[in-house]
Every structure is written in structure tokens, then in C-alpha cells.
Amino acid sequence: MQNSVEIRVLGEEGAKLPVYKTAGAAGADVCAHLTQDAVIAQGATALIPTGLFFEIPEGYEIQVRPRSGLAFKDSVTVLNTPGTIDSDYRGELKILLINLGSNPFTVHDGDRIAQIIVAPVTRGEWVRTQSLSQSERGDKGFGSTGRA
């Protein structure tokens, strides 16, 4: 299934459009659009611009997710993951990165910093009730189903 998403690109040089790196990729890589390198200190966050502005079709969202290689090799990830870009947002896509590593991390212009996924949105209808049906799990929370 393909869905068209209109993209406005910032600047004369232009930001890089999202790219699916393989035929089976669910996420398209997005790149930093910087005028100078951004250094993220150990434990710090940075809001990295992409130079991309989207017009997402109604009934869809764009989810922002980390790149696994960046997380594994450099301990840098997307802080609010998955982030949601709503269909009515028209501002620039900026990626909130956090450096969980032990060394400063430098982001260069054009670096692949996250991936995005176009996904359908289903809106719930919230219905107030006085009771809920019973289930096997019940109200048992974090870790209640075990490790294995």
C-alpha cells in the first residue's frame, strides 16, 4: 500500500527527502539539516531540524522512531519514541535525540538520525462506565506476566 505525503523542503540547498533504504523497509530514514554540527553531550538532548514540512493525509500520522544502528553503535536514540506527527501539523519535523552514551555525540548535516513510518489512525470513542469486565490478567501491572 502506498500513500502520498506532500513534503515542503527548507532552503535552496534543500534538505534530504526521506528514503527507504531497502525494498522491505517499513521506516524511511530522515536526515539532519544543519548549518553547523550539533554536539550532544553525555546525558543531554538536542532538537535536530530536518528541513522537512509534511502535509499528511487526514486519517494518517507519521511515527518517528529511532534508528537501531545509531542506538546500538552510539547509544543515541529518539527520546519521545514513537513520536507522533498529526495530520494537521504543518511545522518543521525536528527530531528530539538523547545521548545515552559515555561520550559526546556529533550530528553532522545530512546524517541519518531517525526513521519515519506513515500509519493509519483509528480514533477511539471514549465511553464512561462504572465497571469493566474481568480478564485473566486483571489489574496486575508491570512485569506481571514474567520474563520467559
Side-chain angles (χ1 to χ4, degrees), residues 27-69:
D29 290 339
V30 291
C31 297
H33 184 64
L34 301 168
T35 56
Q36 63 184 29
D37 291 349
V39 178
I40 309 172
Q42 176 186 2
T45 61
L47 196 57
I48 307 295
T50 65
L52 302 175
F53 301 75
F54 295 90
E55 186 168 331
I56 304 164
E58 189 174 328
Y60 290 85
E61 67 169 329
I62 287 180
Q63 296 177 5
V64 180
R65 299 182 182 187
R67 292 194 61 245
S68 59

Side-chain angles (χ1 to χ4, degrees), residues 11-108:
E12 288 181 26
E13 299 281 323
K16 294 182 179 181
L17 292 177
V19 174
Y20 294 99
K21 288 302 209 175
T22 66
D29 290 339
V30 291
C31 297
H33 184 64
L34 301 168
T35 56
Q36 63 184 29
D37 291 349
V39 178
I40 309 172
Q42 176 186 2
T45 61
L47 196 57
I48 307 295
T50 65
L52 302 175
F53 301 75
F54 295 90
E55 186 168 331
I56 304 164
E58 189 174 328
Y60 290 85
E61 67 169 329
I62 287 180
Q63 296 177 5
V64 180
R65 299 182 182 187
R67 292 194 61 245
S68 59
L70 195 60
F72 178 70
K73 294 175 186 172
D74 299 296
S75 299
V76 172
T77 190
V78 176
L79 186 58
N80 62 323
T81 185
T84 292
I85 310 300
D86 297 310
S87 65
D88 58 351
Y89 176 67
R90 295 295 184 270
E92 181 179 8
L93 171 62
K94 295 182 180 181
I95 308 297
L96 181 57
L97 293 180
I98 185 167
N99 180 1
L100 300 173
S102 54
N103 298 307
F105 179 78
T106 302
V107 181
H108 307 281

